[in-house]
């Protein structure tokens, strides 16, 4: 999202987006970062307006984002998905 917001997407060969279901992201932020549910919700809402996060499907249609990885499991599952996509 930072690359897209800054207009740097043309500096890469490919952009991949990794996303997690909202409830899973909230759970992780509360457990792993010791955030309150309110703080985690505010952060997620703030990120949803950034390019490549809240509108990832549109970025894929534009050809800006080349792969979307669903991060809905554990770290081993994510690593497997990244290996397959690579």
């Amino acid at each position: 999202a930072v690359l897209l917001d800054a207009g740097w997407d043309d500096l890469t060969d490919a952009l991949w987006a990794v996303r997690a279901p909202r409830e899973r992201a909230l759970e992780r932020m509360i457990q792993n970062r010791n955030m309150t549910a309110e703080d985690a919700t505010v952060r997620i809402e703030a990120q949803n307006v950034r390019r490549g996060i809240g509108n990832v499907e549109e970025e894929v249609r534009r050809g800006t984002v080349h792969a979307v990885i669903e991060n809905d499991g554990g770290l081993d599952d994510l690593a497997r998905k990244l290996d397959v996509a690579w």
Side-chain angles (χ1 to χ4, degrees):
V2 172
L3 290 172
L4 296 176
D5 284 343
W8 296 341
D9 49 297
D10 60 335
L11 300 176
T12 66
D13 292 326
L15 281 174
W16 292 13
V18 178
R19 65 180 173 189
R22 180 185 178 87
E23 290 305 315
R24 182 81 169 168
L26 281 169
E27 177 185 300
R28 289 174 179 165
M29 293 169 82
I30 292 166
Q31 290 178 357
N32 300 337
R33 298 183 184 171
N34 297 318
M35 297 177 79
T36 65
E38 182 180 342
D39 287 345
T41 300
V42 168
R43 177 154 316 165
I44 287 172
E45 290 300 321
Q47 290 178 349
N48 277 337
V49 300
R50 301 191 69 150
R51 288 187 62 199
I53 295 178
N55 67 336
V56 71
E57 287 81 10
E58 178 61 28
E59 298 295 350
V60 170
R61 278 192 294 275
R62 289 182 186 167
T64 308
V65 171
H66 302 92
V68 179
I69 308 298
E70 298 296 338
N71 185 9
D72 52 3
L75 288 176
D76 290 339
D77 186 48
L78 177 60
R80 183 189 56 74
K81 289 178 179 179
L82 291 169
D83 283 342
V84 168
W86 182 252

